[in-house]
């Protein structure tokens, strides 16, 4: 039974990072400057993870842009979200995790915002 619960926890984490990466990339390209974009993307990740019952502190977000200017029209922005999925029902194992799941999403910075 524990195995089934753990697999369900991992699957939920997978869905969470896919949604978090997708929303963060969409929010990032809609912002007027880099610092606002980063803050909005981090907030989108935290919200998406909390919707699935995961703590934002167990996740990390990275952003890459091609070309390097993330705010220029035509730039592709890729947001990658990684999450350490905790083992269920083991409160004393704070640093332990079942696995790490990761997802990426890419959005194009539009010409008109």
């Amino acid at each position: 039974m524990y195995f089934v619960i753990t697999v369900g926890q991992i699957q939920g984490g997978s869905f969470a990072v896919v949604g978090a990466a997708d929303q963060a990339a969409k929010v990032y390209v809609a912002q007027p400057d880099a610092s606002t974009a980063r803050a909005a993307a981090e907030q989108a990740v935290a919200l998406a993870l909390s919707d699935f019952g995961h703590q934002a502190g167990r996740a990390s977000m990275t952003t890459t842009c091609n070309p390097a200017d993330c705010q220029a029209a035509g730039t592709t922005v890729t947001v990658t979200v990684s999450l350490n999925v905790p083992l269920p029902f083991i409160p004393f194992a704070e640093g332990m995790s079942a696995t790490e799941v990761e997802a990426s999403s890419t959005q194009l910075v539009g010409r008109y915002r």
Side-chain angles (χ1 to χ4, degrees), residues 24 38 45 60-64 77-82 102-105:
R38 177 85 181 164
V45 167
S60 64
M61 181 189 84
T62 58
T63 306
T64 57
V77 176
T78 302
V79 176
T80 303
V81 178
S82 300
E102 181 178 283
S104 297
S105 181

Side-chain angles (χ1 to χ4, degrees), residues 13-95:
S14 297
F15 288 141
V17 293
V18 167
D22 186 47
Q23 291 304 311
K26 288 177 183 177
V27 167
Y28 193 98
V29 299
Q31 303 307 312
D33 59 70
S35 62
T36 305
R38 177 85 181 164
E42 287 174 351
Q43 188 175 26
V45 167
L47 181 61
L49 292 176
S50 70
D51 285 347
F52 284 89
H54 293 283
Q55 299 172 358
R58 297 185 76 87
S60 64
M61 181 189 84
T62 58
T63 306
T64 57
C65 302
N66 186 16
D69 182 7
C70 293
Q71 300 302 314
T75 299
T76 57
V77 176
T78 302
V79 176
T80 303
V81 178
S82 300
L83 172 69
N84 285 317
V85 179
L87 289 169
F89 309 122
I90 303 181
F92 57 85
E94 187 64 32

